[in-house]
Amino acid sequence: MRCLKPIFAATLSILAASPAAADAPPASAWEIGPFIDGRNYSVGMPVRPTETRDGASFVVPGPSARDGHVHYVTMPVRSLAGARRITLRYRIDAPQGTRFVQQENPAAGPATLSLYFQRRGDSWRARHPDYRWYSPAGRDVPLSPGIHEVSIPLDPGAKWVAMMGGDSSSNPRGFAAALSEAHRVGFTFGGNSGRGHGVYATRPSRFTVLDFEIE
């Protein structure tokens, strides 16, 4: 069962005038990006996932340079002030032996997924070093076929990682400000060379969001 708490359902009511909108994020609510200065950094990807009976779904690009790579999958949110936890449940369908690779540096280590949120007004430049926050160290999930769930509390002690280094325990004020003025939320693909720097698959693969919940 896919469900969302009221903090997020309110946002979805703005995004889509569909009776199902309050039950789960529809594919139309998600954006595959990021878009920076008019350019989509998820090269070769559609702007929106496809709606399926199981949830929002998209194909992970293949190893050819022309196939592209996927970076950020996010949706708008009004604020995360008072929210306690983000949980994502997802499924990856892929043939046996499929590997997921960091686009920026294939030799850097396993490709991973991170939960993510972003403060309003982020310029995507170094002058906003604590406007983007990713899963704590060791809580980014290596990508592999199957059904997976990642659930992380939204408190400073969880040690969410800031874009330019540091974490929520060493920068609690920046973390709290980002939660209060949150603008987008979702998940990213990358690895230790950059949490949102992109991933591709060595064989045809599909990613499906089964549940996304903010408590």
Side-chain angles (χ1 to χ4, degrees):
M1 176 180 180
R2 296 174 294 156
C3 62
L4 291 173
K5 300 299 182 183
I7 185 174
F8 204 68
T11 300
L12 289 178
S13 67
I14 295 172
L15 295 172
S18 164
D23 296 328
S28 60
W30 294 102
E31 179 183 275
I32 302 174
F35 285 81
I36 305 173
D37 297 331
R39 172 188 171 189
N40 188 351
Y41 278 70
S42 281
V43 175
M45 295 294 296
V47 176
R48 310 289 178 194
T50 299
E51 190 69 55
T52 71
R53 60 182 297 175
D54 293 329
S57 183
F58 55 88
V59 173
V60 179
S64 169
R66 65 177 178 271
D67 291 334
H69 30 87
V70 58
H71 292 239
Y72 285 63
V73 182
T74 65
M75 63 173 61
V77 68
R78 285 177 176 170
S79 174
L80 293 173
R84 296 177 298 167
R85 177 178 294 271
I86 299 176
T87 300
L88 168 68
R89 185 169 175 265
Y90 62 94
R91 186 181 72 231
I92 296 178
D93 297 300
Q96 186 174 3
T98 299
R99 293 185 301 106
F100 296 88
V101 183
Q102 295 188 52
Q103 179 268 328
E104 184 175 67
N105 186 356
T112 62
L113 175 147
S114 288
L115 295 185
Y116 169 80
F117 68 93
Q118 180 181 18
R119 184 176 175 178
R120 184 177 304 277
D122 185 13
S123 65
W124 296 92
R125 302 292 186 267
R127 68 174 175 268
H128 290 146
D130 55 5
Y131 274 44
R132 272 167 273 155
W133 293 86
Y134 304 85
S135 292
R139 298 296 303 276
D140 50 332
V141 183
L143 295 169
S144 64
I147 295 176
H148 308 270
E149 180 175 298
V150 55
S151 183
I152 302 175
L154 287 167
D155 64 70
K159 296 188 176 182
W160 286 74
V161 177
M163 183 267 291
M164 292 293 286
D167 61 41
S168 52
S169 64
S170 62
N171 184 10
R173 295 179 68 177
F175 181 70
L179 286 172
S180 178
E181 299 180 14
H183 172 57
R184 301 197 73 85
V185 65
F187 51 97
T188 67
F189 296 89
N192 55 15
S193 68
R195 293 292 189 88
H197 287 196
V199 163
Y200 64 84
T202 57
R203 302 182 70 181
S205 307
R206 178 171 288 276
F207 187 102
T208 302
V209 178
L210 302 177
D211 187 16
F212 186 77
E213 182 177 358
I214 299 173
E215 299 180 53

